[in-house]
Amino acid sequence: MKFGRILLALVAVAAVVGLVVWFPGSSEPEPSALDRPVVAAAVADQAVSATWYCAAATAGPGEPFAHRIIITNPTDRNLPVRVSPVGPTGPVPSKMFLVPAHGPFVVDVDREFAAPGLSASVESPSGQIVVEHRLTAINQEDQVPCATATSDRWWFPALDSARGATAKVTLFNPFPGDAGVDIEVILDASARTPAELSGIVVPARSSRVVDLGAVVQRRDLFAVVVRARSGRLIAETTQTFDGSTGVVGLRMNVGMATESPRWVLPGGFTGQGVAESLVVVNPTDQRISAEVRVIPFAGASTAPEPIVLDLPALRYAVVDLSAESRVPPVGYHAISVATDGAPVVVARLNSVTGPPAAAPAPADGAPATAVRPAVTSGVAISTGSPVMAGDWLVPAIDAGANPAPVVFVHNPASTVAQISTVPVDPDLGADAVAAATSTIEVAAGDSVALTVPPSTRPGTSVGLRITSMTPIVVERLVTYPTENELAMGLAVPFRTPQSGPVPLPGR
Amino acid sequence: MHSEAPGELPLPEGGASGFEWDLDDDDADEDAKWGLTTDAAVVGTGVPAVIAVVVARDPGSWFEDTLRSLARQEYSELSVVVVDNGSADRLDDRVRVTLPDARVIRRESDHGFSAAANEARAFADDAPFLLFCHDDVVLGREAVTAMVAEAFRANAGVVGAKLVDWNDPGILTSVGLGVDGYGAAAELVDPGELDQSQHDQARNVFAVSTACMLVRSDLFTVIGGFRQDIPTCGEDVDLCWRTLIAGASVQFCPRAVVRHRGRFEERRRIDRERLTIRHQARMVLANVEFRRAWYRIPVSFVLALVDAVTSLVLGRFRRSGDDLAALAGGVVGLPRAVAQRSRIRRYRRSHDSEFEPLVHRGSYRLASLVRTDDGQSRFAAATESSRGYLRDLTATDSRAGVALIVAVVAIGVLGTRKLIGGELPVLREFVDAAQGTRSLLGEWWTAWRDTGLGESAVPQPIVPGLGIVSGVLLGSVDLARRLLVLMPLLIGGLGAWKLFARAGSSRARAASFAVYALSPVLLNSLGTGRLQALWVWAIAPWFLRRIATHAGAEPFGVEDARRGPWLRHVAGAALLLVVVGSVSIAGAALLVVSVLVLSIGPWWSGSRRAAVRMCVAAVASAVLAAVVLSPWIVAAVRSGDLTSITGIWFGRMVRPSGADVITGSVGPVTVGYLGWGIIVAAAVPLLIGRRWRSTWSVAAWVLALASWGGSLVLVDLGWFAGAGVELTLVPAALGLAIAVSMAAFAFEHDVVGGDFGVRQVLSGVALVALLLGLVPAFVASSDGRWYLPQGDYQRALNLVAEGDDFRTLWIGDADVLPLAGWELPGSSGLAAGLSEGFSPTVTQRSRLDGGAPVAQINAALGAALVGGTARLGQALAPMGIRYVLLVDRPAPEPFSPLEVPPPTGTESALREQLDLTQLPLAPGASLFRVDEAWPLRSDISGLTLPNDGNAKLVAQLAAPPIPAPPAVLGLGPGTSFEGDLVAGASVAQAVTSDPGWTLQTAGGPATRSDLFGWGQRFSVPDAGPATLGWSTPTSSRGLQAVQVVSLLLLLVLVARRRPEPTRRVRNIERPVDFDDLDGRTDRGDLDGRAGRDDLEGRTDRGELVAEPPADAAVITAEQPVIEPGEPGPIVAPAVDEEPS
């Protein structure tokens, strides 16, 4: 047999082997996911319209809560906005509002639609508007950004039905199909779906309020997950505290539709009269461990050793940061939660039951230590952020409030973040905006607390646009001097291909 | 043996062909009345004059025999006129030698027998009878006497003789013609039927042959002679038919015995079958009485269609084409038929019912489908020819090949059994055909494609092609669709079998057939709904064979062999490419490239000219095919959408590995390690082959490697959705079939006969590997449908809604959609497409740019998917989109286990739309109903809309929700609508805005304006009836004309007969012994004469002989080379002839 023939055969065999080796193939379709928001987010582009869902319209028993929707328009043109409320009995005719450029616009839902307790969806032709809503009663006030996405699963890690507390969940179904809902309750030693919370029907284009406290009685902490058997909805909890246990205030919490192995809560604080705790829920059916890091601002003190939590399946763990000796007793800190890959859901609870201690005088040349807001009562809940972004809008801050609202900026990245802040205020001219624009640096892994400057018109709300080349996480702390209350919550990131949001880096 | 019937007299001495006859009593009385007795033949003075009209053209030496037979007639009043019908050499001298008294009429050109015979009208007044004769008949001495006597006896208008074989008068060739009601004629004797006096009884018949036909002169004048538009092949039937119409009779005279040579096709380049079919149509249109025409003509039309389809199925493509051409010709020639009917009406003396008993019940045409031209049943013919095949195949050296073929056929039938009559789901490229033949053809004619929201473009040829097929199948679109899917199996299998037909190796052919017909690529194409791959697979071997054979590339052909016209050859190859290109233009290009690659084989083996010829022919055929396909290509180029030509899109489906691609395990039919057996077998000829076996195996491997490599690159990039990787693997399948065949060739040429060694061992390895490689296909055949899903979405969707008065937006991975979707920007392969109703049709399997509506849909859907809007329904509703369907697999569970889930969050995004309501459906699909979906045409007068309806999507979505307006001008899709409209109405039409649409109202055309930036609306000026219609643009008409004309040109080129080479053969035919007519020659005793069979190298029993008889013929001109093992070319018998 000639060498040439053997060579030909060898070439053929080599080619076949080469193809086999170089192309291993895949046994599963290439995974893909849409770039959908996991937290409420505005859209800088790609949007032809935006819809925000404001579910909770009432809270505890007794006097009614005033429901206001605050629409922040960061664009430079007036935008028509349609507000479509629904109540337990169905939809109410919608109304159009023209939201002025560069500023918040408040819609008093109760007054505009002449009916209390209305959930509402807000539609706009621009994706850049940001919508939040506020419930107000005597000594009870809170505000949170509304939801931009719906889900068939909503997590509420921290609820309280102890004495003097109410816990209600508003189920808002703005869609043309009915939704069937189960509410599973997770206690410290068990998880169950009570019969009263099973198979709840939320008719199309209506809302329904479920009193969790009536079913889960006298529990100072429990978590729930709202699962839709069919349809989709928005769920939001409201909790009131009447002071029976020393705590007074209102907590609003739009549920988390997403579990994540990594969370950041930029604006925690401790101090005299403050109780702070962190709840970590394991939604999986596996035992997992989670690591909690407390990161004091600006290196005010050495970062304490991480706290490691062992979480059984479908259970939660609570870290009482106020009582944790490793956590500095005074000052702002960010909190980072990370697991070994298993998703968790977290919530940070803050309550204030007294005035702050006098701030110690800073040493010469040393920066002043930031302390907690100077309110004497109030409750707040924050569920943190599983993402970071380079463009945030802090909506509807009462810049004239005293104590002044605070914006927390955390830089989870490993490089220095240069952030710039631009006020979104309809009353500011271009020069004033330029003058009010500032740039600061945030070290890698560090955080800063920005005090919002007074507005030209005290008592009115303004927004704050925060941008950074390096992705950051922004949280807002609002105080209500008249109600002696506070509210905390994540700012709203803008979604762009350039600035994210993107998931937080691994631990 | 003759059996004596009651009343019959014994046969005379000398048999039936003798000239003595006895008459029964009735005949005797009748003859006595006319003064005729057997004792006193009508031969003397006083008998009516007869003029014999002999039509001759370039007759052979037999012509003198013809003339002599006329000269020897005992009938005294016989004169002869020879019509020289344009002979190359004038016949005057030849006639003068034999028949000095005969008159010769010279016609300078041949316009057919009829025109020549009609010269006799000039002498009609000179004699009561005209005797028409061919130039190849020899009349018995008393033939004219007998025919005249018969004419008197039976008062017949036309009398025909008993025709017997030229060489063997004991064999009957014609005793009259049977004719059915549709003009189809058949001889009343079986081929080769011995004359045992069984037909020796004078009788009325419907028609007799013009070979020797006596016609009453006055009748001939009255009916106008022969129809000159039926120059031959039917002129006898037509004349006799009109004779019957005129009230005369046609009589068969057994006592007039005439030897007829026949073999007309050997002297003239005519297509008898084609002419016969065409003339049948003319006769039926003209001759059938009006009171019967209303059903005879439609039934004739249907019979022609059935004939065409059946012929197509039987592989008799030429016959099928002839049928269709005859139909078209019938339509075109309708005015001429009307004129002819008018002429016939003037002399009609009898109704059709009066000669109905002579009409054959049933249809000869249908009978011909099951019988061959020589009267043998096709089953018997197939059996006989198969016997020859089997005799060859079952020879000792071919048994393995036969066993392999039988096994492969059995596996193929077993594996496809449930597809033949079972469920054929609508999935991927196995789309629904359409609403019907009319809509398919209408789409081509109007050049308005129902894809997206409609666009102005001539559809892909598969659309009208399917329409024509379904029309031929009497409107059965489902059957046409089934044929579209399953016919490739038959065509491709036959192609593989015939690929090496000329090489004469049953082993190689069996190997090629087995490897190609059971290729996992094919089986997976079927199992996964890849129509493009199926048709490319089907045509590939035919295309290669045609190109390589004509190029003279060994073993397909012989390099120095005589070749037919190049253009005809290229046109044939182009037609093959047109067939493929109708389904897959990319596939057609793939075939061309494959041939170019395979030309390496002959090039390397030294046949450079053959290689170049292959390349040139392949490219030229591609150019010709491109002209036919130009409307689609132009539209694709104009839209800038390359994927509309390739049919391949990006997808996220499972990516087969290199091993899977090489073994063909790219679908549900997996071959595992056993599949490597084919690869091993294909590698063997690289080692053991010599000469062309080696070079062709190298070429085949290069093709296979290129196909595998290219496919894997596409797979790696994700660009194999739609057509599937199966399409690009077809060349590999072809390459493997060639390589394995080369192994068989190498075994026969290079191994057998040699000493035992590595080659023998490798041959054994190849055989074992081949058999092992076929095992997986056998296992997979147990499924009965090659794992093609048994169900589709249609069943579940039909529970939701039926009809086509709405649109459905399909969303899913490009590889699972049953239509050609547009990829959504930024959605990682997610695609969306529109169907009318729930069922995607064949036209929606091919896309173009889709126009502004598709851009609008993409924008709205893209925004909805990323949370950019919750009002998707508001954007879709005006488009008539009532449903949005998200699918994650080609067929719902449990039919399809193959899942390509849409990107995470897709369903959530749709579920959170405020104006989409989710409806329960089968697993694997999410169905949403769009709130307030508009009808396809609606009256929007009551809506508050800006003039442009909000051209920008943002503004449209910002507006309050719009209630659905009422429908007007009908509900379904189409291109022409009518209805009543009120004055001032504003009509919105949910189609792509195009000025070709006009709304005509009582007060004139309505003003058209754009709506929503993509659609259109009309402002109606006046109340009353209105018509909304589409006017095909001139550019589309031009493209259609180019397409039709180029296709017809290709068909004409292909159908054109190849000119026979000029040949001159020595006259070795025995002079005719006139006495033979009185006696018999021994059957089969050719007395040393070389007949046609001998020249083909066959004995009269059909057996092949090693060599033609040495004295058969001396061919002085170029002679085709006879391939070993192939039947030789048909050569005219030993005569002097030189046809022009």
Side-chain angles (χ1 to χ4, degrees), chain A residues 69-222:
Chain A
I69 291 175
I70 306 156
I71 305 167
T72 303
N73 174 13
T75 69
D76 55 3
R77 66 184 196 279
N78 300 339
L79 293 174
V81 166
R82 184 168 63 242
V83 178
S84 306
V86 302
T89 57
V92 173
S94 61
K95 283 189 175 180
M96 299 291 292
F97 300 92
L98 191 64
V99 179
H102 298 299
F105 177 82
V106 179
V107 177
D108 189 330
V109 178
D110 301 336
R111 193 182 66 201
E112 291 286 351
F113 297 96
L118 295 177
S119 303
S121 56
V122 180
E123 296 175 74
S124 155
S126 170
Q128 297 199 49
I129 67 160
V130 173
V131 179
E132 62 177 351
H133 65 150
R134 179 188 295 174
L135 291 179
T136 306
I138 296 173
N139 292 330
Q140 291 173 327
E141 190 163 9
D142 203 353
Q143 70 184 79
V144 290
C146 300
T148 54
T150 65
S151 177
D152 54 8
R153 188 178 70 249
W154 294 96
W155 286 95
F156 298 95
L159 291 166
D160 189 345
S161 63
R163 185 164 56 92
T166 65
K168 299 191 180 209
V169 61
T170 302
L171 306 174
F172 176 27
N173 176 13
F175 301 107
D178 294 351
V181 175
D182 295 331
I183 300 178
E184 187 176 10
V185 179
I186 300 171
L187 303 172
D188 51 358
S190 66
R192 66 189 176 94
T193 302
E196 300 89 333
L197 302 180
S198 176
I200 300 169
V201 175
V202 185
R205 296 195 172 105
S206 71
S207 63
R208 180 168 178 174
V209 179
V210 177
D211 187 355
L212 296 173
V215 180
V216 187
Q217 298 175 354
R218 303 286 176 178
R219 291 281 183 176
D220 57 1
L221 186 64
F222 64 96

Side-chain angles (χ1 to χ4, degrees), chain B residues 769-840:
Chain B
L770 172 62
L771 295 177
L772 288 176
L774 299 178
V775 170
F778 171 68
V779 174
S781 68
S782 62
D783 178 68
R785 50 192 301 117
W786 304 113
Y787 305 113
L788 182 68
Q790 296 185 42
D792 53 27
Y793 289 111
Q794 307 306 315
R795 199 180 304 170
L797 289 170
N798 285 340
L799 298 176
V800 178
E802 290 192 48
D804 57 358
D805 57 338
F806 60 90
R807 291 193 174 97
T808 304
L809 178 65
W810 292 70
I811 304 173
D813 188 89
D815 197 46
V816 302
L817 290 180
L819 40 67
W822 287 267
E823 187 176 355
L824 297 171
S827 63
S828 302
L830 203 59
L834 286 169
S835 66
E836 278 165 354
F838 276 126
S839 194

Side-chain angles (χ1 to χ4, degrees), chain B residues 51 53 81 83 105 115-125 130 132 220:
Chain B
I51 297 176
V53 180
V81 174
V83 180
I105 297 176
N118 280 345
E119 295 283 354
R121 283 184 293 194
F123 323 115
D125 295 336
L130 298 170
F132 294 100
F220 191 72

Side-chain angles (χ1 to χ4, degrees), chain A residues 257-345:
Chain A
T258 309
E259 305 96 353
S260 171
R262 188 87 164 83
W263 294 87
V264 162
L265 301 100
F269 60 89
T270 52
Q272 181 177 308
V274 171
E276 184 181 58
S277 58
L278 183 75
V279 182
V280 181
V281 180
N282 173 15
T284 71
D285 55 0
Q286 304 285 327
R287 177 181 288 272
I288 64 172
S289 67
E291 184 180 274
V292 178
R293 290 176 180 270
V294 178
I295 311 161
F297 277 25
S301 59
T302 306
E305 281 293 310
I307 301 165
V308 177
L309 303 177
D310 183 46
L311 291 165
L314 219 56
R315 295 290 182 274
Y316 60 80
V318 182
V319 181
D320 188 350
L321 297 171
S322 306
E324 180 57 56
S325 58
R326 284 176 282 186
V327 177
V330 177
Y332 291 119
H333 53 248
I335 301 170
S336 164
V337 179
T339 71
D340 52 1
V344 292
V345 181

Side-chain angles (χ1 to χ4, degrees), chain A residues 5 8 23-27 29-30 32-34 36 46 48-49 51 53 82 123 125 150 174-176 205 231-232 495, chain B residues 652 654-655 657-658 687 689-690 828 865-866 868-871 899 903-904 908-909 911-912 914 916-917 957-959:
Chain A
R5 298 180 192 284
L8 273 178
F23 296 97
S26 67
S27 57
E30 183 183 335
S32 175
L34 294 177
R36 290 178 56 77
Q46 290 184 287
V48 291
S49 70
T51 306
Y53 306 99
R82 184 168 63 242
E123 296 175 74
T150 65
F175 301 107
R205 296 195 172 105
R232 288 170 77 84
R495 293 170 53 207
Chain B
R652 295 182 300 104
V654 172
R655 296 180 178 182
S657 66
L687 293 169
R690 292 188 176 128
S828 302
L865 293 178
V866 297
T869 182
R871 292 285 181 185
E899 184 184 10
T904 306
S908 301
R911 289 173 64 191
E912 69 182 31
L914 293 168
L916 298 184
T917 306
L957 297 184

